[in-house]
CSV table of all heavy atoms in Angstrom, one decimal:
chain,number,residue,atom,x,y,z
A,1,GLU,N,10.3,10.9,4.7
A,1,GLU,CA,9.1,10.3,5.4
A,1,GLU,C,8.9,8.9,5.0
A,1,GLU,O,8.7,8.0,5.8
A,1,GLU,CB,7.9,11.1,5.2
A,1,GLU,CG,6.7,10.6,5.9
A,1,GLU,CD,5.4,11.4,5.6
A,1,GLU,OE1,5.4,12.2,4.6
A,1,GLU,OE2,4.4,11.2,6.3
A,2,ALA,N,9.0,8.6,3.6
A,2,ALA,CA,8.8,7.3,3.1
A,2,ALA,C,9.9,6.3,3.6
A,2,ALA,O,9.6,5.2,3.9
A,2,ALA,CB,8.8,7.3,1.6
A,3,LYS,N,11.1,6.8,3.6
A,3,LYS,CA,12.2,6.0,4.1
A,3,LYS,C,12.1,5.6,5.6
A,3,LYS,O,12.3,4.5,6.0
A,3,LYS,CB,13.6,6.7,3.9
A,3,LYS,CG,14.0,6.8,2.4
A,3,LYS,CD,15.3,7.6,2.3
A,3,LYS,CE,15.7,7.7,0.8
A,3,LYS,NZ,17.0,8.5,0.7
A,4,ALA,N,11.6,6.6,6.3
A,4,ALA,CA,11.4,6.4,7.8
A,4,ALA,C,10.3,5.4,8.0
A,4,ALA,O,10.4,4.6,8.9
A,4,ALA,CB,11.1,7.7,8.5
A,5,TYR,N,9.2,5.5,7.2
A,5,TYR,CA,8.2,4.5,7.3
A,5,TYR,C,8.6,3.1,7.0
A,5,TYR,O,8.3,2.1,7.6
A,5,TYR,CB,6.9,4.8,6.5
A,5,TYR,CG,5.9,3.7,6.6
A,5,TYR,CD1,5.3,3.4,7.8
A,5,TYR,CD2,5.7,2.9,5.5
A,5,TYR,CE1,4.5,2.3,8.0
A,5,TYR,CE2,4.9,1.8,5.7
A,5,TYR,CZ,4.3,1.5,6.9
A,5,TYR,OH,3.5,0.4,7.0
A,6,ALA,N,9.5,3.0,5.9
A,6,ALA,CA,10.0,1.7,5.5
A,6,ALA,C,10.8,1.1,6.6
A,6,ALA,O,10.7,-0.1,6.9
A,6,ALA,CB,10.8,1.8,4.3
A,7,ALA,N,11.6,1.9,7.3
A,7,ALA,CA,12.4,1.4,8.4
A,7,ALA,C,11.5,1.0,9.6
A,7,ALA,O,11.8,-0.1,10.2
A,7,ALA,CB,13.4,2.5,8.9
A,8,PHE,N,10.5,1.8,9.9
A,8,PHE,CA,9.6,1.4,10.9
A,8,PHE,C,8.8,0.1,10.6
A,8,PHE,O,8.6,-0.7,11.4
A,8,PHE,CB,8.5,2.5,11.2
A,8,PHE,CG,7.4,2.1,12.1
A,8,PHE,CD1,7.6,1.9,13.4
A,8,PHE,CD2,6.2,1.8,11.5
A,8,PHE,CE1,6.6,1.5,14.3
A,8,PHE,CE2,5.1,1.4,12.4
A,8,PHE,CZ,5.3,1.3,13.7
A,9,ASP,N,8.4,0.0,9.3
A,9,ASP,CA,7.7,-1.2,8.9
A,9,ASP,C,8.5,-2.5,9.1
A,9,ASP,O,8.0,-3.5,9.5
A,9,ASP,CB,7.3,-1.1,7.4
A,9,ASP,CG,6.4,-2.2,7.0
A,9,ASP,OD1,5.4,-2.5,7.7
A,9,ASP,OD2,6.6,-2.7,5.9
A,10,ARG,N,9.9,-2.4,8.8
A,10,ARG,CA,10.7,-3.5,9.0
A,10,ARG,C,10.8,-3.8,10.5
A,10,ARG,O,10.8,-5.0,10.9
A,10,ARG,CB,12.2,-3.2,8.5
A,10,ARG,CG,12.3,-3.2,7.0
A,10,ARG,CD,13.7,-3.2,6.5
A,10,ARG,NE,14.5,-2.1,7.0
A,10,ARG,CZ,14.5,-0.9,6.3
A,10,ARG,NH1,13.9,-0.8,5.2
A,10,ARG,NH2,15.2,0.1,6.8
A,11,TYR,N,10.9,-2.8,11.3
A,11,TYR,CA,10.9,-3.0,12.8
A,11,TYR,C,9.7,-3.7,13.3
A,11,TYR,O,9.7,-4.6,14.0
A,11,TYR,CB,11.1,-1.6,13.5
A,11,TYR,CG,10.8,-1.7,15.0
A,11,TYR,CD1,11.8,-2.0,15.9
A,11,TYR,CD2,9.5,-1.4,15.5
A,11,TYR,CE1,11.5,-2.1,17.2
A,11,TYR,CE2,9.3,-1.5,16.8
A,11,TYR,CZ,10.3,-1.8,17.7
A,11,TYR,OH,10.0,-1.9,19.0
A,12,GLU,N,8.5,-3.2,12.8
A,12,GLU,CA,7.2,-3.7,13.2
A,12,GLU,C,7.0,-5.1,12.8
A,12,GLU,O,6.5,-6.0,13.6
A,12,GLU,CB,6.1,-2.8,12.7
A,12,GLU,CG,4.7,-3.1,13.3
A,12,GLU,CD,4.5,-2.7,14.7
A,12,GLU,OE1,5.5,-2.2,15.3
A,12,GLU,OE2,3.4,-3.0,15.2
A,13,THR,N,7.5,-5.4,11.6
A,13,THR,CA,7.4,-6.8,11.1
A,13,THR,C,8.2,-7.8,11.9
A,13,THR,O,7.7,-8.9,12.2
A,13,THR,CB,7.8,-6.9,9.6
A,13,THR,OG1,7.0,-6.0,8.8
A,13,THR,CG2,7.8,-8.3,9.0
A,14,GLU,N,9.4,-7.4,12.3
A,14,GLU,CA,10.3,-8.2,13.1
A,14,GLU,C,9.8,-8.4,14.5
A,14,GLU,O,10.0,-9.4,15.2
A,14,GLU,CB,11.7,-7.7,13.0
A,14,GLU,CG,12.3,-7.8,11.6
A,14,GLU,CD,13.7,-7.1,11.6
A,14,GLU,OE1,14.1,-6.5,12.6
A,14,GLU,OE2,14.3,-7.1,10.5
A,15,THR,N,9.2,-7.3,15.0
A,15,THR,CA,8.8,-7.3,16.4
A,15,THR,C,7.4,-7.9,16.7
A,15,THR,O,7.2,-8.5,17.7
A,15,THR,CB,8.8,-5.8,16.9
A,15,THR,OG1,10.1,-5.2,16.7
A,15,THR,CG2,8.5,-5.8,18.4
A,16,MET,N,6.5,-7.6,15.8
A,16,MET,CA,5.1,-8.0,16.0
A,16,MET,C,4.9,-9.5,16.1
A,16,MET,O,5.4,-10.3,15.3
A,16,MET,CB,4.2,-7.4,14.9
A,16,MET,CG,2.8,-7.6,15.0
A,16,MET,SD,2.2,-6.5,16.4
A,16,MET,CE,0.4,-6.9,16.3
A,17,ASP,N,4.1,-9.9,17.1
A,17,ASP,CA,3.7,-11.3,17.2
A,17,ASP,C,2.4,-11.4,16.5
A,17,ASP,O,1.3,-11.0,17.0
A,17,ASP,CB,3.5,-11.6,18.7
A,17,ASP,CG,3.1,-13.1,18.9
A,17,ASP,OD1,2.9,-13.8,17.9
A,17,ASP,OD2,3.0,-13.5,20.1
A,18,TYR,N,2.4,-12.0,15.3
A,18,TYR,CA,1.2,-12.0,14.5
A,18,TYR,C,0.1,-12.9,15.0
A,18,TYR,O,-1.0,-12.9,14.5
A,18,TYR,CB,1.6,-12.4,13.0
A,18,TYR,CG,2.3,-11.2,12.3
A,18,TYR,CD1,3.7,-11.2,12.2
A,18,TYR,CD2,1.6,-10.2,11.8
A,18,TYR,CE1,4.3,-10.2,11.6
A,18,TYR,CE2,2.2,-9.1,11.2
A,18,TYR,CZ,3.6,-9.1,11.1
A,18,TYR,OH,4.3,-8.1,10.5
A,19,ARG,N,0.5,-13.7,16.0
A,19,ARG,CA,-0.6,-14.5,16.6
A,19,ARG,C,-1.6,-13.7,17.3
A,19,ARG,O,-2.7,-14.2,17.7
A,19,ARG,CB,0.0,-15.5,17.5
A,19,ARG,CG,0.8,-16.7,16.8
A,19,ARG,CD,1.5,-17.5,17.8
A,19,ARG,NE,2.5,-16.8,18.5
A,19,ARG,CZ,3.3,-17.3,19.5
A,19,ARG,NH1,3.2,-18.6,19.8
A,19,ARG,NH2,4.2,-16.6,20.1
A,20,MET,N,-1.3,-12.4,17.6
A,20,MET,CA,-2.2,-11.5,18.3
A,20,MET,C,-3.4,-11.1,17.3
A,20,MET,O,-4.3,-10.5,17.8
A,20,MET,CB,-1.5,-10.3,18.8
A,20,MET,CG,-0.6,-10.6,19.9
A,20,MET,SD,0.0,-9.1,20.7
A,20,MET,CE,0.9,-8.2,19.4
A,21,SER,N,-3.3,-11.5,16.1
A,21,SER,CA,-4.3,-11.0,15.1
A,21,SER,C,-5.6,-11.7,15.2
A,21,SER,O,-6.4,-11.7,14.3
A,21,SER,CB,-3.7,-11.2,13.7
A,21,SER,OG,-3.5,-12.5,13.4
A,22,ASP,N,-5.9,-12.4,16.4
A,22,ASP,CA,-7.2,-13.0,16.6
A,22,ASP,C,-8.3,-12.0,16.9
A,22,ASP,O,-9.4,-12.4,17.2
A,22,ASP,CB,-7.1,-14.1,17.7
A,22,ASP,CG,-6.7,-13.6,19.0
A,22,ASP,OD1,-6.2,-12.4,19.1
A,22,ASP,OD2,-6.8,-14.3,20.0
A,23,THR,N,-7.9,-10.7,17.0
A,23,THR,CA,-9.0,-9.7,17.2
A,23,THR,C,-9.0,-8.8,16.0
A,23,THR,O,-8.0,-8.6,15.3
A,23,THR,CB,-8.7,-8.8,18.4
A,23,THR,OG1,-7.5,-8.1,18.2
A,23,THR,CG2,-8.5,-9.7,19.7
A,24,GLY,N,-10.2,-8.4,15.6
A,24,GLY,CA,-10.3,-7.6,14.4
A,24,GLY,C,-9.5,-6.3,14.4
A,24,GLY,O,-8.9,-5.9,13.4
A,25,SER,N,-9.5,-5.7,15.6
A,25,SER,CA,-8.8,-4.4,15.7
A,25,SER,C,-7.3,-4.6,15.5
A,25,SER,O,-6.6,-3.7,14.8
A,25,SER,CB,-9.0,-3.8,17.1
A,25,SER,OG,-8.5,-4.6,18.1
A,26,VAL,N,-6.7,-5.7,16.0
A,26,VAL,CA,-5.3,-5.9,15.7
A,26,VAL,C,-5.0,-6.2,14.3
A,26,VAL,O,-4.1,-5.7,13.7
A,26,VAL,CB,-4.8,-7.1,16.6
A,26,VAL,CG1,-3.4,-7.5,16.3
A,26,VAL,CG2,-4.9,-6.7,18.1
A,27,ASP,N,-5.9,-7.0,13.7
A,27,ASP,CA,-5.7,-7.4,12.3
A,27,ASP,C,-5.7,-6.1,11.4
A,27,ASP,O,-4.9,-6.0,10.5
A,27,ASP,CB,-6.8,-8.4,11.8
A,27,ASP,CG,-6.6,-8.8,10.4
A,27,ASP,OD1,-5.5,-9.5,10.1
A,27,ASP,OD2,-7.4,-8.6,9.5
A,28,ARG,N,-6.7,-5.2,11.7
A,28,ARG,CA,-6.8,-4.0,10.9
A,28,ARG,C,-5.5,-3.1,11.0
A,28,ARG,O,-5.0,-2.5,10.1
A,28,ARG,CB,-8.0,-3.2,11.3
A,28,ARG,CG,-9.3,-3.8,10.8
A,28,ARG,CD,-10.4,-2.8,11.0
A,28,ARG,NE,-10.7,-2.5,12.3
A,28,ARG,CZ,-11.5,-3.2,13.1
A,28,ARG,NH1,-12.0,-4.3,12.7
A,28,ARG,NH2,-11.6,-2.8,14.4
A,29,ALA,N,-5.0,-3.1,12.3
A,29,ALA,CA,-3.8,-2.3,12.5
A,29,ALA,C,-2.6,-2.9,11.8
A,29,ALA,O,-1.8,-2.1,11.3
A,29,ALA,CB,-3.5,-2.3,14.0
A,30,ILE,N,-2.5,-4.2,11.7
A,30,ILE,CA,-1.4,-4.8,11.0
A,30,ILE,C,-1.4,-4.5,9.5
A,30,ILE,O,-0.4,-4.2,8.9
A,30,ILE,CB,-1.4,-6.4,11.2
A,30,ILE,CG1,-1.1,-6.7,12.6
A,30,ILE,CG2,-0.4,-7.0,10.3
A,30,ILE,CD1,-1.4,-8.2,12.9
A,31,ARG,N,-2.6,-4.4,9.0
A,31,ARG,CA,-2.7,-4.2,7.5
A,31,ARG,C,-2.7,-2.8,7.1
A,31,ARG,O,-2.6,-2.5,5.9
A,31,ARG,CB,-4.1,-4.9,7.0
A,31,ARG,CG,-4.1,-6.4,7.3
A,31,ARG,CD,-5.5,-6.9,6.9
A,31,ARG,NE,-5.6,-8.3,7.3
A,31,ARG,CZ,-5.2,-9.3,6.5
A,31,ARG,NH1,-4.6,-9.1,5.4
A,31,ARG,NH2,-5.3,-10.6,6.9
A,32,ARG,N,-2.7,-1.8,8.0
A,32,ARG,CA,-2.8,-0.4,7.6
A,32,ARG,C,-1.4,0.2,7.5
A,32,ARG,O,-0.5,-0.1,8.3
A,32,ARG,CB,-3.6,0.4,8.7
A,32,ARG,CG,-3.8,1.8,8.3
A,32,ARG,CD,-4.5,2.5,9.5
A,32,ARG,NE,-5.8,2.0,9.7
A,32,ARG,CZ,-6.2,1.4,10.8
A,32,ARG,NH1,-5.4,1.3,11.8
A,32,ARG,NH2,-7.4,0.9,10.9
A,33,SER,N,-1.2,1.0,6.5
A,33,SER,CA,0.0,1.7,6.3
A,33,SER,C,-0.1,3.2,6.8
A,33,SER,O,-0.9,3.9,6.2
A,33,SER,CB,0.4,1.8,4.8
A,33,SER,OG,1.4,2.7,4.6
A,34,PRO,N,0.6,3.6,7.8
A,34,PRO,CA,0.5,5.0,8.3
A,34,PRO,C,1.0,6.0,7.3
A,34,PRO,O,0.5,7.1,7.2
A,34,PRO,CB,1.4,5.0,9.6
A,34,PRO,CG,2.3,3.9,9.4
A,34,PRO,CD,1.6,2.8,8.6
A,35,TYR,N,1.9,5.6,6.4
A,35,TYR,CA,2.4,6.5,5.4
A,35,TYR,C,1.3,6.9,4.5
A,35,TYR,O,1.1,8.0,4.0
A,35,TYR,CB,3.6,5.9,4.6
A,35,TYR,CG,4.1,6.8,3.5
A,35,TYR,CD1,4.6,8.1,3.8
A,35,TYR,CD2,4.0,6.4,2.2
A,35,TYR,CE1,5.0,8.9,2.8
A,35,TYR,CE2,4.4,7.3,1.2
A,35,TYR,CZ,4.9,8.5,1.5
A,35,TYR,OH,5.4,9.3,0.5
A,36,GLU,N,0.4,5.9,4.1
A,36,GLU,CA,-0.8,6.1,3.3
A,36,GLU,C,-1.7,7.1,4.0
A,36,GLU,O,-2.3,8.0,3.4
A,36,GLU,CB,-1.5,4.8,3.0
A,36,GLU,CG,-0.7,3.9,2.1
A,36,GLU,CD,-0.5,4.5,0.7
A,36,GLU,OE1,-1.4,5.2,0.2
A,36,GLU,OE2,0.6,4.3,0.1
């Protein structure tokens, strides 16, 4: 599970357009770890 999350995290980091973080909900989503 931890390895799968690490792989997903890499995907999300490379895919996500961080300029979308001008809304609170998006910023919270970016900072949250689903594995936690």
Side-chain angles (χ1 to χ4, degrees):
E1 182 182 13
K3 289 177 182 177
Y5 174 67
F8 169 73
D9 188 47
R10 288 194 298 272
Y11 166 86
E12 188 72 1
T13 299
E14 293 172 1
T15 304
M16 186 69 180
D17 181 357
Y18 286 99
R19 288 174 297 180
M20 291 191 298
S21 61
D22 61 345
T23 65
S25 60
V26 173
D27 184 63
R28 286 193 298 274
I30 292 172
R31 297 174 186 277
R32 185 183 297 118
S33 163
Y35 179 61
E36 291 297 324

